[in-house]
Amino acid sequence: MERLLLNHLRPLVHHAEDPLQFAYREKVGVEDAILYLLHRAHSHLDKGGGAVRVMFLHISRRDAGRLDRLVRKAGSVLGLELESLTPLAERRALSKLLNIMDNVHHPLHTTIIRQRSSFSGRLLSQSCSTDRLRRSSVPQAIRLFSSSQYSK
């Protein structure tokens, strides 16, 4: 159904698409976005004297475990105790959610605020019919918020 709608809507909105939009474009996907990002990062670093910070927010548990091991290994090589990836990602997701809740002009503000319980102050979990949505950023951030000190 999505593909049928997309085929009919794409010609109507093609002129308004962001040139850096990779989703819902014909023959453009995640690999293209990664290639573009890597090219820009390498080009910037090639000039010298700069740094690049990249954060990927959607990774599998297996990949997170691998990254945590890599962080621990890097910390031991440097003689530092570096923070694990999971608490860092959770802290950033919660911070972003709090910023959205404080910014009435943010496109997700109304969506998030509607989830707030008038009884407990917690954010109620979104109704999700798929695991993909349930595991996506906003529902996970809502669960983090509801289990944090901010919801009390």
Side-chain angles (χ1 to χ4, degrees):
M1 182 67 166
E2 180 182 54
R3 195 163 301 281
L4 286 172
L5 285 173
L6 189 59
N7 289 336
H8 289 292
L9 294 176
R10 188 181 290 126
L12 300 173
V13 297
H14 180 70
H15 67 282
E17 283 182 343
D18 186 315
L20 296 179
Q21 176 182 333
F22 294 96
Y24 300 109
R25 292 186 65 186
E26 196 170 16
K27 298 181 182 174
V28 176
V30 174
E31 293 85 6
D32 300 290
I34 292 170
L35 287 171
Y36 176 80
L37 173 69
L38 288 174
H39 175 71
R40 292 291 305 259
H42 287 134
S43 296
H44 176 73
L45 292 172
D46 193 47
K47 294 175 184 172
V52 174
R53 178 188 280 179
V54 177
M55 183 165 67
F56 292 96
L57 297 176
H58 184 74
I59 58 173
S60 70
R61 287 180 192 230
R62 185 180 70 219
D63 291 337
R66 288 177 183 165
L67 283 173
D68 279 340
R69 283 192 296 281
L70 183 62
V71 167
R72 282 195 305 273
K73 178 73 172 173
S76 70
V77 167
L78 296 171
L80 301 170
E81 189 169 326
L82 300 175
E83 185 176 19
S84 176
L85 180 69
T86 303
L88 175 66
E90 287 177 352
R91 195 171 57 250
R92 287 186 180 213
L94 189 55
S95 173
K96 184 65 175 171
L97 182 71
L98 293 171
N99 288 336
I100 292 169
M101 292 171 69
D102 289 341
N103 181 357
V104 296
H105 300 293
H106 192 284
L108 286 173
H109 176 79
T110 305
T111 303
I112 301 295
I113 294 301
R114 277 193 216 140
Q115 298 299 119
R116 190 180 278 281
S117 165
S118 57
F119 175 71
S120 67
R122 292 181 21 198
L123 291 177
L124 303 174
S125 292
Q126 246 180 305
S127 175
C128 303
S129 59
T130 64
D131 278 344
R132 181 175 59 182
L133 178 57
R134 192 174 299 111
R135 291 186 310 223
S136 67
S137 301
V138 172
Q140 284 187 351
I142 287 173
R143 285 191 294 277
L144 281 170
F145 176 87
S146 292
S147 65
S148 74
Q149 65 197 15
Y150 296 104
S151 69
K152 298 182 174 51

